[in-house]
C-alpha cells in the first residue's frame, strides 16, 4: 500500500485512537504533540474540545471510523478528495452538533444514513459510490440546511416529500443517479431554492408548474437561476409559467419526452446563452432552439443546431438527442428483440432474428389482413433486458403481453402512441411508476371508462400486488394490495411473500392475504365445511330414524323402498323416481336450483321467495295437480304412480303403522273431492322447507 503523505495518515490514526478512548477534550498529548496541534484538527479555544476535522485532499486511504461519533463537540467534518472507502457510520451521522459534512470525491459505499443534527447546514456526499434511497425522513429537523449534494452516486428511488421542510435550501443536486418517480410538487415550496440539478436520472411525468409561482411575503418570486432536468423520461408540455422566473439563466430540458412547443416567452437571448457562443450575431437563428430542438428534428445535444429527421423516421419530442425513430415495423421488432434478449435467446428459441422469416410469422406476432402488427404475445418466454421505446411506434399495435418474464428497467411512456387496448407487463422486475402520460391513455385495460383514469389499471404500483398484477375488472374486482417485502419495489407484482397487516385496497379497507395462502385457506375451509355437512346429515338421519320418520320400508322380497311417509313437523321428504322420469316437490314453490322434468329437460324455475304466510311475494303459485300431470309422459305413468302410492299407504295401514302418512291433506284423496288446485293451509308460519336428497 502506497500512501503519499504518511504523516497525515499516522496522525489521522492517532485521532482514531483518541476517539476510541472517548477523548472528547483532546488536551492530553498522544506521543509528543497535543491533539489540537495536529494537522487538520481544530479545537474550540474556550473548551479545548475538537470542533472540526479538515483533511481535504490529504490522500487518506482508510474508512471513516465510527469512533468519531464519540466526539460530540464536532461541528465540521471535511474530508473531500481522498481515498476513503466503506460506509458512512451511523454513529457519525448521529453527531448532535454537526453543521458541515463534506466527503465528496471519495469511494464511499453503502446507504446514506439519516443525519440527526438539527444544525446541519451542508451535506455533500457527491461523487462517491453510495447506493440505496434517500432517507424518507430527510428534511425532518433540517430546516437550517442550505446545501444538499448527492450527485454522481448510485442512489435510486423516489425523492421523499419531506424535502419541502428544508425552507432554507438553496442548492439541491441529485444529478447522475438512478432516482425515479415524479419530481415532487413540494419542490415549489422551497422559497430559497436557487439551483436545481436533477439531470441524468429516470424521472417521469411533468415539470412541476409551481416551481415558478410567487413565494414568500410581498409576492416575492422564485429565486431559481438554474434548472437542469435533461436526460430523464419527463413528459407532458413545458410549463409556460417558467417564463415568470425572472432570474432564470439556464434551463436544460433536452433528452426527455416533452411534446408541443417551447413557450414563446421562454425564447430569450438571456437564456442558455452558452449554446450560442461562437455563433455570428448576424446568423439567422431561432431563440427557442437554445431551449430545445422542435418536434421532428434532432441534434447532438438536443439544442441548437437542429437537423430535420430523415425519411421514414420521426420524432414527436422536443430536444431529441441522437437519432430520430425509424418507423419500419421489422426494424422496430428487431430493436425489441435485441433489447429483450440481453442474457440470451428466449425460452423455446425464436425466429425473430431470421431475415428469411416473414414478419407476420414471427413467434407471438399476429397481423391483420394488411400485414400490420396488431398483437405481440410473449408471456413466460424468458425475456431479459428492457422494453425499448420504439415499440410504442407500431401504429397498429393493440395487444402487448410480456408478462411473467425477467424484464427490468422502466415502463416507457412511448407506449401511449400505440392504439393499445391490452397491456400486460405483470410478473417482471420493472421499477419506478407507471408514466403519468400512459395513465391518461384511454382504452388500455379498460382505463378511462366513465372518466376513471387509474394508473393501477396499467400495473400495480411498486410495493403492492394483485393476482393479475393490475387492478382488473369493470368494477375493480382485483385490487392492488400492499406488500411488506423488502424486495417488493417492482411494478405489476402478482404475489408477495409478506403482506401488510393492515392492507387497504384503492377502494376501501381489505385484508391482505398471500395468494397461495388464501387458496390454501379456501381448501381447508371447504374440507371443514364438507365434514360438518356430512356430520349434520348423518345426525339428522339418526334422529329421524329414532322418531320412526322416513324409515325405509321393506317389500316382500326384502328390497328397500323409498321413504314415503311424512313427518308432522312439516319437513318435505317426497320420493321421486329417475327411472320413471317422474320428479316433483311437495311444497308449492319450486326450489331455485335447476331440476329435471318428466321429459328429461333441464328447467330453471323463477327465484323462490317465501313470505311469512308461506306464499311467495313475487311468484305465482304452482298447482300441485298440474305439476304432477306435467311429470307424466302422457302414457299413464301418472296413474301408475298414484296406484303405487296408494298401495304403499294400504300396506302400512295393514302393518299397523301409527305414523301419519301426510301431515297435510292427502292430495290423492282430495283430488277426488276437491278442485284440481291443491295448496297448504294458509297458516304456514312454522313450515320448514327442506329438500332431503334420495339415498
Amino acid at each position: 500500500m502506497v500512501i503519499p503523505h504518511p504523516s497525515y495518515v499516522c496522525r489521522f490514526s492517532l485521532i482514531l485512537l483518541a476517539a476510541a478512548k472517548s477523548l472528547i477534550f483532546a488536551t492530553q498529548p498522544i506521543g509528543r504533540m497535543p491533539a489540537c496541534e495536529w494537522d487538520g484538527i481544530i479545537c474550540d479555544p474556550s473548551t479545548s474540545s475538537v470542533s472540526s476535522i479538515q483533511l481535504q485532499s490529504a490522500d487518506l486511504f482508510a474508512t471513516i471510523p465510527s469512533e468519531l461519533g464519540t466526539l460530540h463537540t464536532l461541528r465540521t467534518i471535511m474530508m473531500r478528495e481522498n481515498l476513503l472507502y466503506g460506509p458512512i457510520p451511523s454513529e457519525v451521522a448521529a453527531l448532535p452538533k454537526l453543521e458541515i459534512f463534506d466527503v465528496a470525491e471519495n469511494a464511499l459505499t453503502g446507504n446514506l444514513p439519516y443525519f440527526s443534527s438539527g444544525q446541519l447546514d451542508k451535506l455533500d456526499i457527491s461523487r462517491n459510490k453510495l447506493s440505496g434511497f434517500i432517507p424518507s425522513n430527510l428534511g425532518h429537523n433540517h430546516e437550517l440546511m442550505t446545501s444538499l449534494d448527492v450527485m454522481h452516486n448510485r442512489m435510486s428511488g423516489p425523492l421523499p416529500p419531506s424535502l419541502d421542510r428544508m425552507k432554507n435550501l438553496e442548492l439541491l443536486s441529485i444529478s447522475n443517479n438512478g432516482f425515479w418517480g415524479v419530481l415532487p410538487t413540494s419542490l415549489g415550496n422551497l422559497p430559497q431554492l436557487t439551483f436545481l440539478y436533477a439531470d441524468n436520472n429516470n424521472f417521469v411525468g411533468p415539470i412541476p408548474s409551481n416551481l415558478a409561482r410567487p413565494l414568500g411575503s410581498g409576492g416575492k418570486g422564485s429565486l431559481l437561476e438554474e434548472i437542469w432536468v435533461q436526460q430523464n423520461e419527463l413528459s407532458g408540455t413545458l410549463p409556460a409559467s417558467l417564463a415568470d422566473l425572472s432570474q432564470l439563466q439556464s434551463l436544460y430540458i433536452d433528452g426527455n419526452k416533452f411534446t408541443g412547443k417551447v413557450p414563446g416567452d421562454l425564447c430569450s437571448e438571456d437564456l442558455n446563452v452558452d449554446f450560442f457562443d461562437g455563433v455570428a450575431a448576424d446568423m439567422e437563428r431561432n431563440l427557442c432552439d437554445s431551449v430545445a430542438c422542435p418536434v421532428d428534428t434532432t441534434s447532438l445535444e438536443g439544442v441548437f443546431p437542429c437537423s430535420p429527421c430523415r425519411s421514414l423516421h420521426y420524432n414527436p419530442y422536443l430536444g431529441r438527442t441522437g437519432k430520430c425513430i425509424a418507423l419500419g415495423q421489422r426494424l422496430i421488432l428487431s430493436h425489441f428483440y435485441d433489447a429483450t434478449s440481453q442474457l440470451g435467446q428466449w425460452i423455446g428459441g425464436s425466429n425473430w432474428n431470421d431475415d428469411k422469416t416473414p414478419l407476420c410469422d414471427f413467434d407471438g406476432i399476429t397481423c391483420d389482413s394488411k400485414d400490420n402488427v396488431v398483437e405481440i404475445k410473449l408471456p413466460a418466454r424468458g425475456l431479459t433486458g428492457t422494453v425499448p421505446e420504439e415499440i410504442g411506434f407500431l401504429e397498429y399495435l393493440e395487444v402487448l403481453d410480456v408478462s411473467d418474464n425477467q424484464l427490468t428497467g422502466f415502463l416507457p411512456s412511448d407506449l401511449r402512441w400505440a392504439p393499445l387496448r391490452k397491456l400486460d407487463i405483470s410478473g417482471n422486475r420493472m421499477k419506478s411508476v407507471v408514466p403519468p402520460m400512459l395513465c391518461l391513455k384511454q382504452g388500455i385495460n379498460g382505463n378511462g371508462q366513465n372518466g376513471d383514469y387509474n394508473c393501477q389499471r396499467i400495473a400495480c404500483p411498486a410495493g403492492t400486488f394483485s393476482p393479475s398484477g393490475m387492478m382488473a375488472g369493470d368494477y375493480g374486482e382485483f385490487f392492488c394490495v400492499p406488500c411488506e417485502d423488502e424486495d417488493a419495489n417492482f411494478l405489476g407484482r402478482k404475489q408477495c411473500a409478506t403482506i401488510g397487516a393492515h392492507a387497504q385496497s384503492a377502494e376501501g379497507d381489505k385484508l391482505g392475504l398471500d395468494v397461495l395462502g388464501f387458496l390454501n385457506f379456501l381448501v381447508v375451509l371447504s374440507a371443514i365445511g364438507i365434514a360438518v355437512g356430512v356430520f349434520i346429515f348423518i345426525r339428522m338421519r339418526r334422529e329421524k330414524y329414532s322418531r320412526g320418520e322416513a324409515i325405509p320400508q321393506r317389500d316382500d322380497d326384502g328390497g328397500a323402498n323409498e321413504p314415503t311417509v311424512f313427518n308432522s313437523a312439516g319437513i318435505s321428504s317426497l320420493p321421486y323416481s329417475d327411472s320413471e322420469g317422474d320428479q316433483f316437490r311437495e311444497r308449492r314453490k319450486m326450489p331455485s336450483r335447476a331440476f329435471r322434468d318428466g321429459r328429461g329437460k333441464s328447467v330453471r324455475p323463477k327465484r323462490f321467495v317465501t313470505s311469512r304466510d308461506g306464499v311467495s311475494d313475487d311468484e305465482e303459485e304452482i298447482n300441485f295437480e298440474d305439476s304432477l300431470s306435467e311429470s307424466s309422459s302422457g302414457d299413464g305413468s301418472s296413474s301408475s304412480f298414484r296406484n303405487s302410492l296408494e298401495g304403499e299407504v294400504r300396506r302400512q295401514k295393514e302393518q299397523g303403522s301409527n305414523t301419519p302418512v301426510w301431515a297435510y291433506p292427502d292430495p290423492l284423496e282430495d283430488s277426488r273431492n276437491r278442485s284440481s288446485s291443491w295448496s297448504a293451509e294458509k297458516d304456514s308460519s312454522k313450515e320448514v322447507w327442506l329438500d332431503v336428497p334420495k339415498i
Side-chain angles (χ1 to χ4, degrees):
M1 180 176 62
V2 179
I3 303 177
H5 299 284
S7 60
Y8 283 163
V9 177
C10 179
R11 291 170 184 172
F12 189 65
S13 300
L14 291 178
I15 293 176
L16 305 188
L17 179 60
K21 294 181 179 180
S22 302
L23 293 179
I24 297 178
F25 297 98
T27 57
Q28 298 298 323
I30 299 180
R32 299 181 179 180
M33 184 181 299
C36 292
E37 298 181 13
W38 296 352
D39 293 338
I41 302 301
I42 300 175
C43 294
D44 187 333
S46 61
T47 61
S48 298
S49 59
V50 177
S51 62
S52 179
I53 299 176
Q54 299 186 15
L55 294 170
Q56 307 94 303
S57 304
D59 292 321
L60 295 173
F61 186 83
T63 60
I64 300 177
S66 59
E67 287 83 0
L68 290 181
T70 61
L71 300 175
H72 293 169
T73 57
L74 266 180
R75 297 181 180 275
T76 301
I77 297 178
M78 296 187 65
M79 295 185 289
R80 62 183 302 131
E81 299 181 24
N82 284 288
L83 298 174
L84 299 177
Y85 61 92
I88 299 174
S90 58
E91 293 85 354
V92 175
L95 286 169
K97 298 183 179 180
L98 196 62
E99 298 176 1
I100 297 175
F101 185 77
D102 186 350
V103 291
E105 301 185 56
N106 281 283
L108 297 172
T109 56
N111 296 334
L112 176 65
Y114 173 72
F115 284 78
S116 58
S117 173
Q119 303 177 40
L120 193 62
D121 175 72
K122 178 181 179 181
L123 178 60
D124 191 347
I125 59 167
S126 61
R127 302 184 186 279
N128 279 280
K129 300 179 181 179
L130 295 169
S131 57
F133 292 8
I134 290 180
S136 59
N137 54 354
L138 183 66
H140 292 271
N141 199 35
H142 296 140
E143 291 82 2
L144 301 179
M145 187 182 294
T146 62
S147 176
L148 174 61
D149 192 347
V150 299
M151 68 181 297
H152 282 281
N153 276 283
R154 301 171 181 174
M155 304 183 72
S156 61
L159 295 183
S162 57
L163 290 178
D164 64 352
R165 300 192 178 194
M166 302 159 68
K167 300 301 183 182
N168 287 291
L169 193 65
E170 300 173 4
L171 168 70
L172 176 60
S173 178
I174 56 177
S175 304
N176 293 91
N177 278 283
F179 293 114
W180 42 258
V182 298
L183 289 173
T185 57
S186 58
L187 295 178
N189 300 329
L190 303 177
Q192 302 300 321
L193 189 61
T194 305
F195 304 99
L196 174 60
Y197 304 125
D199 55 285
N200 290 278
N201 281 288
N202 299 294
F203 291 114
V204 298
I207 294 178
S209 58
N210 66 342
L211 282 178
R213 70 177 185 177
L215 297 170
S217 59
K220 181 180 179 181
S222 173
L223 302 178
L224 277 168
E225 297 180 10
E226 295 187 355
I227 300 177
W228 293 15
V229 292
Q230 70 270 26
Q231 302 303 322
N232 279 284
E233 297 292 326
L234 297 173
S235 56
T237 58
L238 288 180
S241 59
L242 294 178
D244 297 333
L245 296 171
S246 59
Q247 301 187 49
L248 189 63
Q249 300 176 11
S250 298
L251 175 62
Y252 301 150
I253 57 94
D254 51 275
N256 283 285
K257 308 290 184 179
F258 292 118
T259 54
K261 297 181 179 180
V262 177
D265 292 341
L266 275 174
C267 306
S268 169
E269 293 182 352
D270 299 326
L271 187 64
N272 298 347
V273 295
D274 293 344
F275 290 115
F276 291 111
D277 285 347
V279 178
D282 57 350
M283 181 178 178
E284 184 178 354
R285 61 184 181 180
N286 186 339
L287 293 177
C288 293
D289 290 353
S290 66
V291 178
C293 287
V295 169
D296 215 14
T297 66
T298 185
S299 75
L300 182 63
E301 294 183 313
V303 293
F304 178 86
C306 309
S307 303
C309 294
R310 295 182 299 166
S311 176
L312 300 179
H313 289 70
Y314 179 61
N315 166 41
Y317 306 124
L318 295 174
R320 176 79 178 183
T321 58
K323 299 179 180 180
C324 295
I325 300 167
L327 297 179
Q329 290 189 122
R330 194 175 193 102
L331 190 56
I332 290 175
L333 293 182
S334 177
H335 282 300
F336 180 85
Y337 178 76
D338 292 340
T340 57
S341 57
Q342 295 295 305
L343 297 180
Q345 286 193 352
W346 303 339
I347 294 176
S350 174
N351 57 0
W352 282 46
N353 54 354
D354 185 358
D355 295 337
K356 298 180 180 179
T357 302
L359 179 69
C360 295
D361 290 339
F362 282 2
D363 299 332
I365 293 293
T366 301
C367 294
D368 61 13
S369 59
K370 297 182 179 179
D371 293 338
N372 296 311
V373 176
V374 294
E375 293 185 359
I376 300 178
K377 295 182 178 180
L378 297 168
R381 290 293 303 274
L383 276 61
T384 57
T386 61
V387 176
E389 63 174 5
E390 289 86 356
I391 203 68
F393 293 91
L394 289 172
E395 57 180 326
Y396 298 97
L397 185 64
E398 298 180 2
V399 176
L400 177 60
D401 184 354
V402 290
S403 58
D404 300 317
N405 285 288
Q406 298 297 320
L407 295 172
T408 56
F410 306 93
L411 185 62
S413 66
D414 311 82
L415 293 173
R416 59 183 145 148
W417 303 114
L420 288 171
R421 57 181 173 81
K422 179 181 178 181
L423 173 63
D424 192 348
I425 56 96
S426 62
N428 285 281
R429 300 178 69 83
M430 294 185 184
K431 298 180 180 179
S432 189
V433 298
V434 177
M437 296 305 296
L438 194 57
C439 299
L440 297 175
K441 176 73 173 180
Q442 186 168 8
I444 302 181
N445 303 340
N447 194 36
Q449 291 182 357
N450 301 320
D452 179 22
Y453 291 87
N454 195 324
C455 293
Q456 295 188 20
R457 290 195 179 275
I458 310 299
C460 284
T464 68
F465 88 105
S466 82
S468 63
M470 66 188 80
M471 188 179 78
D474 295 337
Y475 302 99
E477 286 84 350
F478 293 106
F479 293 101
C480 299
V481 180
C483 296
E484 288 188 350
D485 294 15
E486 294 181 358
D487 190 29
N489 295 302
F490 301 111
L491 291 175
R493 286 177 60 104
K494 293 183 176 180
Q495 61 182 7
C496 53
T498 307
I499 304 173
H502 303 286
Q504 292 183 341
S505 70
E507 301 294 334
D509 295 343
K510 290 184 178 291
L511 178 63
L513 295 174
D514 185 277
V515 175
L516 296 179
F518 182 70
L519 293 176
N520 292 333
F521 172 75
L522 288 180
V523 171
V524 174
L525 186 62
S526 300
I528 295 175
I530 293 173
V532 172
V534 171
F535 173 79
I536 293 175
F537 176 75
I538 295 175
R539 184 64 178 270
M540 290 176 61
R541 295 291 294 179
R542 289 179 176 176
E543 291 180 355
K544 294 175 72 175
Y545 291 158
S546 65
R547 296 194 303 267
E549 303 169 358
I551 301 177
Q553 305 296 318
R554 296 286 176 177
D555 55 19
D556 295 338
D557 57 0
N561 294 322
E562 297 292 343
T564 57
V565 295
F566 188 82
N567 66 308
S568 59
I571 299 179
S572 173
S573 182
L574 293 179
Y576 61 95
S577 173
D578 289 336
S579 61
E580 297 181 2
D582 299 322
Q583 179 178 358
F584 63 98
R585 295 288 184 268
E586 184 240 357
R587 57 186 172 187
R588 296 179 303 143
K589 304 305 179 188
M590 293 297 183
S592 61
R593 61 181 177 276
F595 65 95
R596 288 203 168 272
D597 63 7
R599 293 174 296 275
K601 181 180 178 181
S602 179
V603 180
R604 185 172 293 276
K606 294 181 179 180
R607 183 180 179 185
F608 174 66
V609 181
T610 305
S611 64
R612 291 187 59 187
D613 61 357
V615 180
S616 171
D617 292 334
D618 58 357
E619 300 293 338
E620 57 182 286
E621 296 184 2
I622 299 177
N623 186 285
F624 182 88
E625 295 288 337
D626 292 342
S627 66
L628 184 62
S629 63
E630 288 176 1
S631 67
S632 70
S633 59
D635 57 358
S637 61
S638 175
S639 176
S640 174
F641 182 83
R642 292 174 183 271
N643 294 335
S644 63
L645 186 59
E646 289 177 346
E648 177 63 27
V649 172
R650 286 195 300 271
R651 189 174 62 82
Q652 291 190 40
K653 289 182 177 181
E654 292 173 357
Q655 294 177 356
S657 174
N658 296 324
T659 304
V661 178
W662 296 102
Y664 292 100
D666 189 346
L668 302 180
E669 181 181 355
D670 289 353
S671 63
R672 304 186 184 97
N673 304 321
R674 300 173 57 184
S675 65
S676 60
S677 177
W678 178 85
S679 62
E681 298 291 337
K682 290 296 182 181
D683 186 13
S684 57
S685 60
K686 296 182 180 181
E687 293 176 356
V688 179
W689 302 107
L690 177 64
D691 294 319
V692 180
K694 182 176 67 174
I695 303 301

